[in-house]
Amino acid sequence: LLNDTTIKGASDATLLRIAEHFPGLLGHRGDHGRFPVHIACAYGASSDFIYKCVSLYPLTAAAQDDDGRTPFHFLCKSYAKGCDTSMSCDKNAIERRMTRILWILYRKAPSAIIIEDKHGVDVVEYALEADMSMTFIRLLQDMVARVHESNAKKKANRKLMQARSQLQQKDSFCMACE
């Protein structure tokens, strides 16, 4: 219901009203394994509606549809095309909305920004194909780099902890031998 309403171009006020009265719909997977946040990112819904989706159902910010696409993919691939005509195709206004949404998604699911879909395409590639500005592309690249850096630090920390654990076990064994 909510996905179809979004696709048909319902106003943001209507979408927010539906979400308020039927919040469970925000956590319902529709066709092709897509949550309302996927559809909202594809069809130009407001940042308020997308915030409502991921606030009530945080895991949907990283959820992959049947093709492996996250809301990040849909935002970068289709959002500008799906924006309503009331924005008069003002590319700067659309990009500001997209940037707000990007931050909303990133705060809920930062690691989802590095996921490639089943065709091996990542969000930066979708943004490039959609002819987004270099400012937006650089923001995406910075976010991706932060996630990779964080993952590398976590991996290094796990290795360090594992090495310490092995040393402690070895020391315990040597003390028991004395």
Side-chain angles (χ1 to χ4, degrees), residues 2-176:
L2 192 54
N3 287 356
D4 289 340
T5 304
T6 305
I7 291 169
K8 290 178 181 169
S11 71
D12 292 328
T14 300
L15 293 175
L16 287 166
R17 212 171 303 120
I18 292 170
E20 189 173 308
H21 293 291
F22 306 100
L25 291 175
L26 300 176
H28 183 269
R29 251 186 219 271
D31 293 342
H32 309 288
R34 295 180 185 138
F35 287 99
V37 69
H38 287 98
I39 303 302
C41 287
Y43 286 88
S46 72
S47 57
D48 292 338
F49 180 70
I50 291 169
Y51 179 79
K52 178 83 122 178
C53 290
V54 299
S55 290
L56 293 175
Y57 293 91
L59 297 178
T60 62
Q64 292 178 269
D65 72 356
D66 294 347
D67 291 321
R69 293 189 203 117
T70 67
F72 286 103
H73 290 92
F74 285 97
L75 176 70
C76 293
K77 178 181 181 179
S78 306
Y79 188 86
K81 289 183 232 166
C83 274
D84 59 31
T85 54
S86 67
M87 295 193 77
S88 306
C89 296
D90 179 358
K91 193 169 181 169
N92 292 328
I94 291 169
E95 197 162 300
R96 283 191 300 274
R97 279 177 73 171
M98 289 179 69
T99 300
R100 279 194 303 274
I101 294 165
L102 182 64
W103 279 108
I104 289 166
L105 296 172
Y106 186 77
R107 285 184 188 109
K108 290 292 180 185
S111 60
I113 201 165
I114 64 172
I115 294 173
E116 291 182 353
D117 68 13
K118 288 186 178 179
H119 306 287
V121 182
D122 67 24
V123 296
V124 175
E125 291 172 282
Y126 277 123
L128 286 167
E129 288 175 10
D131 199 29
M132 298 305 302
S133 75
M134 286 312 298
T135 303
F136 189 81
I137 303 285
R138 278 194 289 280
L139 176 59
L140 281 172
Q141 289 173 324
D142 288 346
M143 290 174 161
V144 167
R146 281 187 213 160
V147 171
H148 284 302
E149 184 179 325
S150 174
N151 288 346
K153 285 179 182 178
K154 287 177 188 174
K155 185 176 179 179
N157 193 38
R158 279 193 300 273
K159 283 186 175 185
L160 178 64
M161 297 306 288
Q162 188 177 34
R164 282 185 183 164
S165 176
Q166 289 173 348
L167 280 174
Q168 287 173 344
Q169 288 174 354
K170 193 175 188 179
D171 286 346
S172 296
F173 179 73
C174 289
M175 286 184 173

